[in-house]
Amino acid sequence: MVNRFKCELMKRINTGDQLSVEDFRKISIIAKEEIKFLVRNGIPLTPLNYYLWFDIFCYLNETGKDLSDPEIMGIFKEKYPDESVIESTILELNRVDRRFIKQIAEEVGREIEKVMQNIEEHAKVIEVNAKKVEETSQSLTDENLKEMLRTVVEALNEIKSQNEGLKKKLQESRKEIERISQKLNQSEKNTLVEFLIEIASKKSFEKVLGDMFNDFKIRNYPFAVLMVKLDRFEEIIKQDGEKAGKIVLQEIARKFKKLLRANDVVAYYDDTIFGVLIPGVTFGHAIRIGERIRKSIEDTLININGKTIKVTVSVGVAVARKDMDEADLVSKALEALELAEKDGGNTIKTDLDVELEK
């Protein structure tokens, strides 16, 4: 990683030093500039982006540099030239970093709240002015002037509409930030894993599952649940360490993204278990998808510090039926997964196999 873009405040944060009131004031100023930049350039408001870009804006604040957006982009590209550098940065995150990310997220949330208040005030001003212009237009006899004022009213209404769209996006971002802050405040290992692999959370999985089940009941649109668990993951941790385990999880998450369709959903469900939702599939099709996942992961070679690691997964499959509810469906997939593990792993089992075992 390029080290010439250093930030002393970030260094103290990473070492866990006590921060002063002035430090927190500086964090607030930096976060404000960062959020403006991210929104202006269409950069997603994710916790990882908060962390990486804060480091850049901290450097700019401490050096007093006033750079254009392209120049700032150039600094980021120089500091993080490719995905591998970003990944190594993520793996070095510690508990102090997570608390800091939470703090930045909360600061961004406050800034979004202010922007939303400004939008509401702006919308009220636009509405008042649009009414005045419209009333003036009605009292005129000159058709050319009336047409010009109608154009002004349309423009004002378009600005109001755009503001409403921006407000909606900001509301969605605020909800996501609240979720991030809550999760980063937790200590369970699943929190950091979801952050590292950047896929959906269990909560998101359950929400989409509910939506799919409602669709199934109304339109009879089929879907399947796959539960996929890494085999003997504890042995990898024991032999190669926590860092190796994190790299394996990242590689498996990346593999899922390549294997699945855009409308499929993969989430980190629980303790090395990935949950997958596959809409529009029959029982046989779901089994074939599960087998493709199993085989693809079996063929994947993961390089960690010059050592090649191979991993396998067990897969449990269940397809929605009229006599099930959401909890039943997940339970069936987990039972099938357990049966696959009992069978030695690196295999696929279904809820039908579970019934036959009974």
Side-chain angles (χ1 to χ4, degrees), residues 26 75 94 117 120 165 187 242 265 352-353:
K26 183 187 277 190
I75 290 177
N94 55 35
Q117 289 174 0
E120 289 177 3
S187 59
E242 292 283 346
V265 175
L352 180 59
D353 292 317

Side-chain angles (χ1 to χ4, degrees), residues 33 36-41 53 57 66-76:
E33 292 305 311
K36 290 176 186 175
F37 175 86
L38 295 178
V39 171
R40 191 164 63 240
N41 290 279
W53 283 99
F57 277 87
D66 183 18
L67 303 180
S68 65
D69 285 5
E71 287 174 318
I72 296 172
M73 294 277 195
I75 290 177
F76 185 89

Side-chain angles (χ1 to χ4, degrees), residues 59 70 107 114 118 120 183 213 221 230 240-241 248 251 259 274 299 312 314-315 340-341:
Y59 160 77
E107 183 64 40
K114 291 177 185 177
N118 290 336
E120 289 177 3
K183 292 191 75 61
F213 222 101
Y221 192 69
L230 287 163
D240 301 286
V248 168
E251 288 297 324
L259 287 170
F274 293 85
D299 292 341
T312 61
S314 298
V315 184
E341 287 186 286

Side-chain angles (χ1 to χ4, degrees), residues 133-151:
V133 173
E134 197 165 358
E135 289 169 1
T136 301
S137 173
Q138 291 173 357
S139 65
L140 294 173
T141 56
D142 188 308
E143 286 300 323
N144 289 330
L145 283 175
K146 289 178 75 171
E147 182 61 31
M148 288 174 62
L149 290 179
R150 275 196 293 269
T151 302

Side-chain angles (χ1 to χ4, degrees), residues 208 212 256 259-266 276-281 289 292:
V208 177
M212 285 189 178
F256 272 118
L259 287 170
L260 299 175
R261 304 168 301 178
N263 61 337
D264 299 332
V265 175
V266 58
V276 185
L277 297 171
I278 313 287
V281 294
I289 292 172
R292 187 169 72 240

